[in-house]
Amino acid sequence: MTQETIPTPSPDVVHTTLSSGEVVLLHLQKRKYYSLNVTGAHIWNMLMSGHSIDEIGQSLTEEFDVTFDHARASVSILLDDMIAAGFLCHAAND
């Protein structure tokens, strides 16, 4: 995933935040769900707020004990997995 590409949720995906801070995504058309732990939920919430991949990575370094390179790589891996599963779609960064 490149910095110029910021994925957006598939129009068929709904989500809810659990009291534990985790997020559960449901793809209505595929009838599949995707569960995000607290770190994944942090990434999801920032993505939904329009933050770039670099901004999300930087935020993770402030919230968790990780380097920027590790955080950004983790964000890219998660987003790539979610795109492959159909929960996110590619969209150009405006």
Side-chain angles (χ1 to χ4, degrees):
M1 176 159 315
T2 65
Q3 179 57 28
E4 296 79 33
T5 304
I6 298 176
T8 58
S10 166
D12 296 318
V13 171
V14 295
H15 71 277
T16 189
T17 302
L18 305 177
S19 60
S20 63
E22 297 173 321
V23 169
V24 177
L25 311 173
L26 176 63
H27 196 295
L28 299 172
Q29 185 180 28
K30 294 183 178 189
R31 296 184 180 180
K32 292 184 178 182
Y33 74 93
Y34 202 101
S35 179
L36 299 171
N37 64 17
V38 174
T39 306
H42 182 86
I43 293 168
W44 175 263
N45 290 328
M46 289 198 69
L47 188 66
M48 295 305 95
S49 297
H51 292 278
S52 71
I53 295 167
D54 281 348
E55 290 170 332
I56 297 169
Q58 183 58 44
S59 175
L60 290 176
T61 66
E62 295 165 6
E63 290 287 322
F64 306 98
D65 186 23
V66 295
T67 65
F68 175 77
D69 290 338
H70 180 84
R72 191 181 189 296
S74 295
V75 170
S76 291
I77 289 168
L78 175 63
L79 299 183
D80 286 343
D81 287 348
M82 292 176 71
I83 289 168
F87 288 87
L88 292 173
C89 304
H90 285 291
N93 188 8
D94 295 329

